[in-house]
Amino acid sequence: MLNGVIRKGEYEWELPVGFIPGMHVPARFFLSDELIKTLEEGTLQQLANVATMPGIVKSSLAMPDIHWGYGFPIGGVAAFEYDSGVISPGGVGFDINCGVRLLTTPLKQSDLAKKKEILDNLYDAVPVGVGTRSSLRLSEKQLEKLMTSGATFAVDEGYGNQDDIIHCEEQGCMKEADPAHVSRKAKTRGVPQCGTLGAGNHFLEIQVIGEIYDEEAAKTYGVEKGQICIMVHCGSRGLGHQVCTDHLQVLENAVSKYNISLPDKQLACAPLTSPEGKAYFGGMAAAANYAWANRQIITHQIRNVLTRMCGIDYDDIRLVYDVAHNVAKIEEHAVDGKMTKVCVHRKGATRAFGPGCPDVPADYANAGQPVIIPGSMGSSSYLLKGTDIAMKRTFGSTCHGAGRVLSRSQAKKRIKGKNIRETLGKAGIIVKAPHDGSIAEEAPDAYKSSSEVVSVVHNLGISRLVARLEPLGVIKG
């Protein structure tokens, strides 16, 4: 038993009010007995720190992929009452709207005789790595429009179709975006990077659906066993990172201006309704829209490669859904039996709205929102569905991935990228990356078990398994 921690159920643990001074609500986290062995020192302190912030409602939450982050733990979820609560970049993260999208194709594994050649062409079409530049050259006016309208901008420019918009969270656009709160430096960083994958844990992966757990939901989402899919994981690139950096400096000063007491300066925040809070929210939403446009342009590049090499039609490559991580949103949730306007921070967490929620696409209404949980290069990824239980217990939220157990520097010291490439190759998984160091950083051993993480949220009922996807070819940034 962890000191001071109360076990509430097989997968649920609580840090009660009083675990640290100043907590307004309890903190709860979801882990199996196996995953609790991976809990990093200090992570629960971060989770408890969030519970001290002004206006927080119900509880500070952490998903089973919890690990150490800036301010909030990664995997953290917290909702703040709109009129009395705060907004914090530490509850969103530096890579604003680092999200995942899943594309289906009419292809089967037997159609991938030229898998390496296909992967090579995808690698050439989608720029990867630190500081990569896109062939797309946005004007300042176009960038402003992109930050205002998100994925819609990309589709209007010919990078996709209207079905793509329907199957994006928020329809690929946060209406609260205000590019006026995106600095010149952030815009300069963003202009050459739209349509690029970036580095770190970002990836483009060719996958095959290995198992269906929920036939009805799978049919609703248009997925079937043996189908070839493409998963893309990336975010707002340098623009989003700069937005976070810029506003952190402002909000660090706002803490004293509004007499906010915090146990950790990394939780710098401002009241949601304050000028500083509104400015950050507008800039964050603009960066989120940039990320949706980025993934949309990458989708177009993928479609062009597959249509050319596999003889399939552009529109046969269908977007199942695009989910956002690292974002704060204004939503309504039940608090003390009353629907309440709150700002939900999901930092390394996925929205998981249940059946019938108005924000779920109409063609998915009976199943609930698709939830996409990526694995770690050599491990399985999963498609799940949102649930009513998530709406009641976690502000409609679930995990977002496997969650790290080794930092990137630790992974590079312990693991050789060349060895990982060779091991995965023997298992039939081709890996392409700018250098072996980027493979080592993101090696499967640097992460928790994706299947164990997904098992926890499935058994809790905050999202339910629909399908398992296995990697065949991976492009790492």
Side-chain angles (χ1 to χ4, degrees), residues 77-95:
V77 176
F80 298 87
E81 202 274 331
Y82 185 82
D83 292 324
S84 63
V86 294
I87 188 167
S88 172
V92 171
F94 281 88
D95 192 1

Side-chain angles (χ1 to χ4, degrees), residues 285-326:
N289 290 349
Y290 179 99
W292 273 308
N294 186 34
R295 292 196 289 275
Q296 185 61 45
I297 292 167
I298 289 172
T299 297
H300 174 74
Q301 294 162 329
I302 291 167
R303 284 174 169 147
N304 283 344
V305 169
L306 294 184
T307 54
R308 184 177 73 250
M309 298 196 67
C310 301
I312 56 178
D313 291 338
Y314 186 95
D315 289 337
D316 284 342
I317 304 160
R318 178 179 163 272
L319 176 60
V320 176
Y321 204 61
D322 178 301
V323 297
H325 313 142
N326 293 9

